[in-house]
């Protein structure tokens, strides 16, 4: 396996950690022994709190990891995040093992610590990957990595489901074994990370030019390293006089406020699609459509498998039609699907009084939910992580990714906290709420999110400079709407931040 392939495999496996946690918690939430050990009931709001507190950890972890990534390097930051994830997972596994008093606080602690690690990984890995990819291949690379996120989701849910079938919902090992299996990810990655290079761009930003050259030689060989080194050094010299801090990003008068708002709203809108909730509470949704518990669990697994394969269309088209088309189309498609699910959910709740066979409602509802899940995977899973890595200068790229993860953490904390409460109180009307929030997500994206695909980092940053000149954030009003779509024709491909670091691998995959 060459160095380029190792980087992609490593990044993909690291991203799978988050997906594994989602699939893992789906059935743990309904395990009788787990609920008894934690001292809570199945409809207790604390079920959602235990799930959602993890996202608070991700928010803090993103800030700490991005700081470490800038000061010590992308690679050391990833190492610390993996070790933290492993520790949090171990604490979760040991919670209530042989004791019951204090089991819930220990589970909370494990969830938060694991969130610190996974949040850091989600902040640094996209930056690490993006800094090693070409302008025309960044989307494909990250979408492929997020497809492995869905593989982690499938792996966790399948393990959880089959162990639950074998041992029963009242057996503690039915929920502890899936937690223990998760250790495979951080342990293997920790054992493998020493083989990977630090990003040459980070070395250059720290004036470690010899190390940068060695990293380029490690990836490409001596022949190509010199040319790429000169391009990266030139790009850094252009940006080095423009240091960026969080004040520049969060202040309305700051130089990076506009791209920061685009980053924040991308994550808010992704949360508003409702798919953080669908991933964690999938079986409960199929139960709302009228299926029994075990059938709902099988259908949830089927939905995740379909989700994985439909993600192929994301990396096939994200660098062809662009991010905006997929995001807007995805949001409107999901909105229509949730509106239909509201109607079908209402029919499912009243099949007896209406004289409708259960399957006449539940089968169409399953098809619609599968379509909605695929639309989310294609349009929203990877795009909101990709865009922040494309619109900030290198001096702010790690901070931009951190802001993205912080907002993702808080937004998903709210969604996963209130979703079980919503199901318990609103029932199928919760689908209508998600239909409305998806409409908002699609409309905002169409109006204000620029198309970043097929352009260099510098070209994307020029959009925000031009927005100041036009005194508008509307994409259609800036440069005659040039950023509403992918650039027309092929670019010559200048060096510097445009350097196609992993283009050879991407073009051959």
């Amino acid at each position: 396996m060459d160095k380029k392939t190792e980087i992609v495999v490593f990044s993909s496996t690291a991203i799978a950690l988050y997906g594994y946690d989602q699939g893992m918690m789906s059935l743990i939430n309904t395990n009788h022994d787990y609920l008894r050990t934690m001292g809570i009931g199945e409809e207790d709001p604390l079920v959602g709190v235990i799930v959602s507190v993890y996202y608070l950890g991700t928010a803090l972890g993103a800030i700490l990891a991005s700081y470490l990534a800038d000061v010590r390097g992308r690679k050391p930051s990833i190492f610390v995040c993996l070790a933290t994830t492993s520790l949090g997972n171990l604490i979760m596994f040991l919670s209530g093992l042989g004791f019951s008093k204090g089991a819930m606080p220990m589970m909370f602690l494990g969830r938060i610590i694991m969130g610190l690690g996974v949040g850091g990984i989600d902040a640094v890995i996209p930056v690490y990957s993006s800094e090693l990819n070409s302008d025309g291949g960044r989307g494909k690379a990250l979408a492929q990595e997020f497809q492995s996120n869905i593989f982690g989701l499938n792996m966790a849910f399948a393990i959880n489901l089959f162990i639950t079938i074998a041992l029963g919902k009242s057996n503690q090992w039915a929920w502890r074994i899936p937690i223990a299996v998760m250790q495979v990810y951080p342990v293997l990655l920790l054992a493998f990370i020493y083989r990977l290079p630090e990003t040459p761009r980070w070395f250059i930003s720290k004036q470690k030019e010899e190390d940068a050259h060695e990293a380029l030689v490690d990836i490409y060989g001596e022949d190509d390293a010199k040319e790429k080194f000169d391009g990266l050094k030139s790009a850094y010299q252009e940006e080095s006089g423009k240091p960026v801090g969080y004040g520049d990003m969060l202040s309305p008068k700051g130089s990076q406020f506009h791209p920061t708002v685009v980053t924040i709203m991308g994550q808010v809108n992704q949360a508003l699609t409702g798919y953080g909730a669908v991933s964690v509470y999938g079986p409960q949704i199929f139960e709302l459509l009228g299926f029994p518990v075990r059938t709902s669990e099988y259908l949830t697994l089927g939905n995740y498998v379909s989700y994985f394969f439909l993600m192929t269309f994301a990396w096939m088209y994200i660098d062809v039609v662009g991010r905006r088309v997929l995001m807007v189309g995805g949001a409107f498609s999901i909105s229509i699907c949730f509106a239909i699910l509201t109607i079908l959910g209402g029919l499912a709740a009243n099949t007896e009084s209406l004289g409708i066979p259960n399957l006449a409602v539940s089968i169409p509802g399953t098809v619609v939910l599968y379509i909605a899940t695929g639309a989310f995977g294609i349009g929203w899973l990877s795009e909101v992580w990709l865009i922040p890595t494309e619109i900030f200068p290198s001096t702010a790229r790690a901070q931009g990714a951190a802001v993205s993860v912080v907002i993702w953490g808080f937004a998903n904390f709210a969604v996963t906290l209130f979703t079980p409460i919503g199901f318990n109180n609103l029932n199928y009307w919760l689908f209508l709420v998600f239909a409305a929030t998806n409409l908002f997500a699609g409309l905002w994206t169409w109006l204000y999110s620029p198309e970043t695909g097929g352009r260099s980092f510098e070209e994307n940053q020029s959009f925000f400079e031009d927005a100041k000149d036009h005194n508008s954030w509307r994409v259609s009003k800036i440069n005659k709407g040039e950023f509403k779509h992918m650039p027309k024709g092929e670019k010559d491909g200048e060096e510097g931040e445009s350097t196609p670091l992993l283009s050879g691998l991407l073009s051959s995959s």
Side-chain angles (χ1 to χ4, degrees):
M1 185 185 297
D2 62 27
K3 193 63 63 178
K4 299 174 187 177
T5 305
E6 288 179 359
I7 293 167
V8 173
V9 170
F10 180 89
S11 299
S12 299
T13 307
I15 291 292
L17 275 168
Y18 168 55
Y20 189 98
D21 180 78
Q22 286 183 310
M24 178 179 73
M25 293 306 296
S26 291
L27 285 178
I28 287 178
N29 289 332
T30 61
N31 183 281
H32 301 154
D33 180 81
Y34 167 77
L35 295 170
R36 184 167 56 251
T37 302
M38 297 300 120
I40 53 180
E42 192 164 347
E43 296 187 358
D44 194 311
L46 283 173
V47 173
V49 175
I50 292 174
V51 172
S52 59
V53 75
Y54 161 86
Y55 292 102
L56 296 181
T58 64
L60 179 58
I63 296 173
L64 297 175
S66 68
Y67 173 77
L68 185 61
D70 273 344
V71 175
R72 303 293 296 177
R74 309 329 190 192
K75 199 173 149 183
S77 180
I78 293 169
F79 182 93
V80 171
C81 291
L82 289 170
T84 304
T85 300
S86 179
L87 175 61
N89 177 266
L90 178 62
I91 294 173
M92 286 176 60
F93 173 78
L94 295 174
S95 298
L97 184 61
F99 62 94
S100 57
K101 188 176 181 180
M104 185 184 294
M106 190 171 178
M107 178 61 73
F108 272 121
L109 178 64
R111 293 287 294 163
I112 293 171
I113 291 177
M114 193 169 78
L116 287 170
V118 175
I121 289 168
D122 286 346
V124 180
I125 285 290
V127 174
Y128 184 75
S129 174
S130 182
E131 288 185 341
L132 294 171
N133 278 296
S134 65
D135 301 336
R138 292 189 304 258
K140 179 179 179 180
L142 198 64
Q144 287 174 330
E145 289 168 16
F146 271 87
Q147 188 171 34
S148 72
N149 171 284
I150 308 308
F151 176 80
L153 174 71
N154 274 278
M155 176 181 174
F157 193 87
I159 290 171
N160 213 331
L161 177 59
F162 294 127
I163 290 177
T164 298
I165 292 172
L167 301 179
K169 282 184 174 288
S170 296
N171 190 301
Q172 68 166 326
W173 297 107
W175 66 271
R176 292 192 190 276
I177 289 176
I179 294 176
V181 171
M182 187 179 182
Q183 278 286 357
V184 172
Y185 281 98
V187 170
L188 285 179
L189 290 169
L190 284 168
F192 186 77
I193 194 171
Y194 78 95
R195 294 177 56 87
L196 302 181
E198 180 57 78
T199 69
R201 287 188 175 96
W202 182 83
F203 279 134
I204 289 176
S205 73
K206 299 301 179 183
Q207 289 79 50
K208 297 182 177 182
E209 296 184 2
E210 184 176 339
D211 291 327
H213 185 267
E214 289 179 2
L216 288 167
V217 170
D218 189 26
I219 300 171
Y220 308 102
E222 191 69 48
D223 293 341
D224 295 333
K226 179 66 167 63
E227 182 181 358
K228 295 181 185 297
F229 175 83
D230 291 341
L232 292 176
K233 185 176 178 180
S234 175
Y236 171 71
Q237 289 172 344
E238 291 179 8
E239 292 183 344
S240 59
K242 308 172 186 176
V244 178
Y246 282 110
D248 299 299
M249 303 172 74
L250 301 176
S251 169
K253 294 183 179 180
S255 62
Q256 299 300 316
F257 181 68
H258 186 178
T260 300
V261 172
V262 171
T263 295
I264 289 172
M265 288 306 300
Q267 289 292 358
V268 168
N269 288 332
Q270 189 204 56
L272 291 177
T273 64
Y275 261 80
V278 171
S279 296
V280 177
Y281 300 105
Q284 291 91 321
I285 294 176
F286 283 105
E287 288 178 39
L288 279 177
L289 292 173
F291 288 106
V293 173
R294 181 64 72 213
T295 303
S296 295
E297 292 169 349
Y298 283 130
L299 288 170
T300 299
L301 179 59
N303 192 26
Y304 293 160
V305 172
S306 171
Y307 188 9
F308 174 79
F309 285 108
L310 288 174
M311 267 297 293
T312 303
F313 290 103
W315 58 260
M316 286 175 62
Y317 290 106
I318 192 170
D319 288 323
V320 177
V321 301
R323 291 81 164 118
R324 273 169 56 88
V325 170
L326 295 182
M327 292 171 75
V328 173
F332 290 147
S333 298
I334 299 168
S335 181
I336 293 170
C337 288
F338 272 125
I340 295 172
L341 285 170
T342 305
I343 298 171
L344 294 174
L347 293 174
N350 297 279
T351 51
E352 290 188 13
S353 61
L354 295 174
I356 302 173
N358 285 335
L359 291 179
V361 175
S362 53
I363 291 178
T366 299
V367 173
V368 171
L369 188 57
Y370 276 40
I371 292 172
T373 304
F376 171 80
I378 296 168
W380 282 90
L381 182 62
S382 60
E383 286 82 350
V384 297
W385 298 100
L386 175 64
I387 291 173
T389 71
E390 299 180 309
I391 60 178
F392 289 101
S394 60
T395 51
R397 202 164 292 143
Q399 296 99 310
V403 169
S404 181
V405 178
V406 168
I407 300 304
W408 166 78
F410 282 121
N412 279 280
F413 168 77
V415 170
T416 54
L417 175 63
F418 290 112
T419 293
I421 299 173
F423 279 138
N424 293 336
N425 293 278
L426 297 177
N427 211 303
Y428 56 85
W429 289 109
L430 185 62
F431 295 143
L432 189 60
V433 174
F434 286 139
T437 56
N438 273 280
L439 276 178
F440 172 83
L443 181 61
W444 195 97
T445 302
W446 177 253
L447 292 175
Y448 301 113
S449 186
E451 177 53 63
T452 58
R455 295 180 168 95
S456 70
F457 296 128
E458 294 90 350
E459 288 172 327
N460 287 326
Q461 289 154 34
S462 73
F463 167 84
F464 298 100
E465 294 298 323
D466 294 338
K468 295 175 185 176
D469 297 336
H470 288 79
N471 197 30
S472 175
W473 285 14
R474 288 276 296 273
V475 175
S476 60
K477 293 185 176 181
I478 300 168
N479 291 344
K480 300 179 180 180
E482 177 186 344
F483 280 80
K484 288 172 62 177
H485 46 71
M486 294 276 284
K488 295 179 174 64
E490 295 293 328
K491 301 195 289 82
D492 292 334
E494 300 176 354
E495 290 293 332
E497 286 288 338
S498 307
T499 305
L501 291 182
L502 293 186
S503 57
L505 173 65
L506 292 168
S507 62
S508 63
S509 61

